[in-house]
Amino acid sequence: MRQRGRARRRAPTRPRREGSAWPEGVLRPGGGESAPGGRGAARGLAGRPVVRRTGTDHRRVAVRRGDRRRSRAARPVVPWNRGPGPEAAVLRRLGGTDVPAATLAAVDATAQYCDHPSLLMSLLPGTVRLADQDADERAGLLARQLVSIHRLPVTASRRPRPYQAWASPERVTLPAATGRPDLWRRAVDVIRREPPAHQGCFLHRDFHPGNVLFTGADGDLRISGVVDWVETSWGPADLDVAHCSTALALLHGVPAGMRFADRYADAGGTLSDGTAHLYWRLLDALGFAPDAEKVAVPWRELGRVDLTADVLTRRLEGYIEALFERYA
């Protein structure tokens, strides 16, 4: 759900004519990321979308080898995302852990076989669920999943890149129709100071309901996949909690966003205290100003047509007010 002006719809990845065998070559028994060994084996890399969000378009692709047909997910990674290498490294790192991430099958790092640099990975089960129904149950699962991500052991030499802030005082745009400009200016003043000292951990960095897949219902509801690891970085756990909290506040109302940090703590997670935590929460929330329209577009495509610009602006402003009431 990045905001920084680069969250644009990516064109679907599809094979170039000369690269139609890319999946066969890398998925053959014993295959890795080597060049393909034959032609004409791939079918449907243009595929149909399986996960669609701001800036990300996973597509279901059919891969044939002889009489065998497998489904995989392909995702284009365009240049402003630093290429597919970082996400590929993260997916390899997650292999063998209890985090339900896709298994990397292949990397087309230079767009030799597809229209864009692309990743080919296993197709995870489940769907993105954004409805208000069962939102509390899903939030509890999100909190527990996030704790497990933050607890992944990482040696100093294998740490991902340091986190990047997605808002700055100079770039925040206040809502034109706000009746509370002083509240917004106060929030901007908070992020003018130097970031608080923090204990770093492994961050997903774009963890929110649109990047998590669920299966089941009622008592059998569970998380079946966590996707979109392109922003993975090293930084305070507060940042991941902040990002998910803001999304929950926008999707389901201010109380839902305010409860998530408590759910995370109840699941065993550790956060900064008081004004330090406030800094991270506001740093994230202000990245959605003025109206969270960039995230609203894919949410509406997934059925949340009730999330108008006016609704999201009011929720964002109410959320910022609630953050000051609790943490200032």
Side-chain angles (χ1 to χ4, degrees), residues 87-142:
E87 186 171 14
V90 171
L91 291 176
R92 293 189 192 97
R93 169 71 183 81
L94 294 172
T97 72
D98 61 359
V99 176
T103 300
L104 183 68
V107 181
D108 182 12
T110 60
Q112 181 178 359
Y113 304 112
C114 298
D115 287 345
H116 300 286
S118 299
L119 300 177
L120 188 70
M121 63 194 82
S122 60
L123 183 65
L124 295 170
T127 57
V128 173
R129 302 187 186 184
L130 304 180
D132 286 331
Q133 182 180 0
D134 298 325
D136 282 346
E137 185 178 0
R138 294 197 305 272
L141 294 173
L142 289 170

Side-chain angles (χ1 to χ4, degrees), residues 202-281:
F202 185 93
L203 302 179
H204 181 285
R205 193 60 184 99
D206 198 11
F207 188 86
H208 59 81
N211 275 338
V212 179
L213 306 176
F214 290 89
T215 59
D218 301 324
D220 191 39
L221 184 67
R222 68 182 184 88
I223 290 176
S224 57
V226 181
V227 303
D228 205 351
W229 296 88
V230 73
E231 299 295 345
T232 299
S233 49
W234 186 263
D238 304 72
L239 264 180
D240 268 352
V241 171
H243 196 55
C244 194
S245 296
T246 306
L248 290 171
L250 294 171
L251 281 166
H252 308 301
V254 173
M258 294 303 296
R259 286 193 294 266
F260 187 69
D262 296 326
R263 297 182 189 277
Y264 178 84
D266 290 344
T270 301
L271 296 169
S272 305
D273 295 327
T275 56
H277 184 65
L278 177 65
Y279 174 92
W280 301 114
R281 295 285 285 269

